[in-house]
Amino acid sequence: MSTDSVDAILARIERRILVRRILVFVGLAVAALAAYFGTGFLGARPVPDIVRFAQFDFFVAEFVKYLSPDFVDFTRLTQEEGIGGWRAIWVSVTNPSSIVETALSLRSSLLVSSIVITLSIGIVGTIIGFPFALFFGVLGSERVTPFPFNFLFRGVMSAIRAIPALVWVFIFAALVPLSPLTAMLAVATDTIGNLGRLFTDELEEIQEGPIEAIRSTGASGGQVINFGMLSQVSSSFVAWTLYILEINTRIAVSLGVVGAGGLGQYIQTNLNLFNSFRAGAGLLTLLFLVLSIELLSSRLRARLRPEEEEGRGFVEMLRDLADPDRWLGRVERS
């Protein structure tokens, strides 16, 4: 290759890089303008209004309180004895019977029982929604139900997904008073739409070979679905269910905010009463709960699908956060 050809190639690459940078800059400028005028369209003048009306002193004072959590409501023992601050956790841990007693009390005014209620809503709702999601997900696949009849099942799942769980809980409130039971029904319904659609998409991508092999043996339709299709996606189905369980736990918290019980209700109640120290304890507990479930779920999914998920321990994840190369995307995945 001649020197002129190499120079021409390098010049072409530089032009492409320059054009790409200009397009990125223009895109960011358009996005910033869209955000600014978008807030104006919604009836706000962001910069003048923030400068004129924002209560910065009050915001800073409340934020400092959130960073000084009071765990006096951690268990019934700490609440009755008036033991607050971080010491409440130590006293509760050294008295495990108080944790068990509080967990069984199912009172949303206590943190431990709020955690139990929130986890119960997420887990039980997922378990109840799973068989229905499997039913609609399998029959929604064109490999099982011929076109256009499969769209009947897809339509049901789409209709369910179109309504958020936060709305489903009020729909079920007409059936059962607003409570953890109502939240569980809302989570189960939401699971049918979301998990069922993931099942359908997963079935559309399976290989045809094993299906034909099972059919060639004279197997019935049910046997073809069971041994030819579901056997190929069983690990993926479990992994997706764990992922939805992780999401459902977060949904359970948001449903608690509207009065369905659990950790969300504890936080909302203390925010309404301006008990910012206790609300900070609830927010910190929520952060711990969500991170714990996410770590556990990601590690289980990594076991099930090692080719798609990267399982890392808590210490490894913290070490990665301090690694600038990972933030800049300069580390290749093994």
Side-chain angles (χ1 to χ4, degrees):
M1 183 179 294
S2 65
T3 306
D4 293 340
S5 299
V6 173
D7 292 340
I9 293 172
L10 291 175
R12 195 161 54 245
I13 293 174
E14 289 178 355
R15 281 197 301 273
R16 288 180 180 174
I17 294 174
L18 179 62
V19 170
R20 193 176 303 166
R21 288 177 177 172
I22 292 174
L23 291 176
V24 169
F25 177 78
V26 172
L28 290 175
V30 171
L33 289 173
Y36 181 81
F37 288 108
T39 53
F41 176 75
L42 294 175
R45 295 179 300 166
V47 176
D49 287 352
I50 288 176
V51 172
R52 288 170 56 190
F53 299 114
Q55 303 177 35
F56 292 107
D57 294 342
F58 180 73
F59 172 76
V60 172
E62 290 298 306
F63 192 75
V64 170
K65 292 179 182 177
Y66 296 148
L67 297 179
S68 305
D70 186 357
F71 289 92
V72 66
D73 297 326
F74 196 71
T75 59
R76 178 182 290 179
L77 173 65
T78 57
Q79 190 180 64
E80 292 177 352
E81 298 292 332
I83 302 172
W86 291 94
R87 184 167 170 265
I89 297 179
W90 173 252
V91 171
S92 300
V93 171
T94 53
N95 294 275
S97 60
S98 66
I99 295 180
V100 175
E101 179 191 9
T102 305
L104 297 177
S105 68
L106 297 181
R107 290 168 52 187
S108 292
S109 59
L110 297 170
L111 280 171
V112 170
S113 54
S114 296
I115 294 173
V116 174
I117 293 172
T118 301
L119 286 176
S120 300
I121 292 172
I123 294 173
V124 177
T126 306
I127 292 173
I128 292 176
F130 175 81
F132 296 98
L134 185 63
F135 175 78
F136 283 97
V138 171
L139 294 181
S141 172
E142 194 173 351
R143 289 174 179 270
V144 178
T145 307
F147 178 84
F149 301 105
N150 63 323
F151 272 88
L152 173 64
F153 303 97
R154 290 191 178 213
V156 172
M157 291 186 289
S158 297
I160 291 174
R161 287 201 313 278
I163 302 174
L166 204 56
V167 176
W168 277 115
V169 74
F170 288 112
I171 293 175
F172 284 116
L175 179 67
V176 181
L178 195 59
S179 64
L181 178 62
T182 321
M184 184 196 66
L185 293 174
V187 169
T189 306
D190 202 58
T191 299
I192 297 171
N194 292 323
L195 189 58
R197 181 52 191 266
L198 292 173
F199 286 171
T200 300
D201 291 343
E202 199 71 36
L203 281 173
E204 297 294 347
E205 298 177 0
I206 59 177
Q207 298 178 356
E208 193 64 28
I211 301 173
E212 293 298 328
I214 296 294
R215 279 181 181 151
S216 66
T217 63
S220 63
Q223 290 172 326
V224 171
I225 294 173
N226 190 22
F227 299 107
M229 298 181 183
L230 296 183
S231 60
Q232 295 188 55
V233 293
S234 56
S235 297
S236 297
F237 275 21
V238 176
W240 282 123
T241 304
L242 290 171
Y243 176 68
I244 292 296
L245 172 63
E246 179 185 323
I247 294 176
N248 284 346
T249 306
R250 295 174 183 167
I251 292 175
V253 174
S254 63
L255 298 181
V257 172
V258 297
L263 198 52
Q265 183 170 333
Y266 177 86
I267 295 171
Q268 181 64 23
T269 300
N270 284 288
L271 285 174
N272 290 339
L273 297 175
F274 291 99
N275 291 329
S276 303
F277 293 111
R278 296 187 182 188
L283 291 171
L284 201 61
T285 305
L286 170 62
L287 180 65
F288 173 77
L289 178 65
V290 170
L291 286 179
S292 300
I293 293 174
E294 186 171 342
L295 283 173
L296 179 63
S297 174
S298 63
R299 288 192 68 80
L300 288 174
R301 292 202 305 271
R303 293 270 184 184
L304 292 168
R305 299 193 299 189
E307 72 284 358
E308 298 179 18
E309 303 282 349
E310 182 183 359
R312 300 194 304 276
F314 183 70
V315 176
E316 293 171 310
M317 292 185 68
L318 290 180
R319 191 168 58 232
D320 290 345
L321 290 175
D323 186 357
D325 289 336
R326 284 197 173 272
W327 285 94
L328 297 174
R330 295 189 300 210
V331 177
E332 295 182 359
R333 295 182 62 176
S334 58

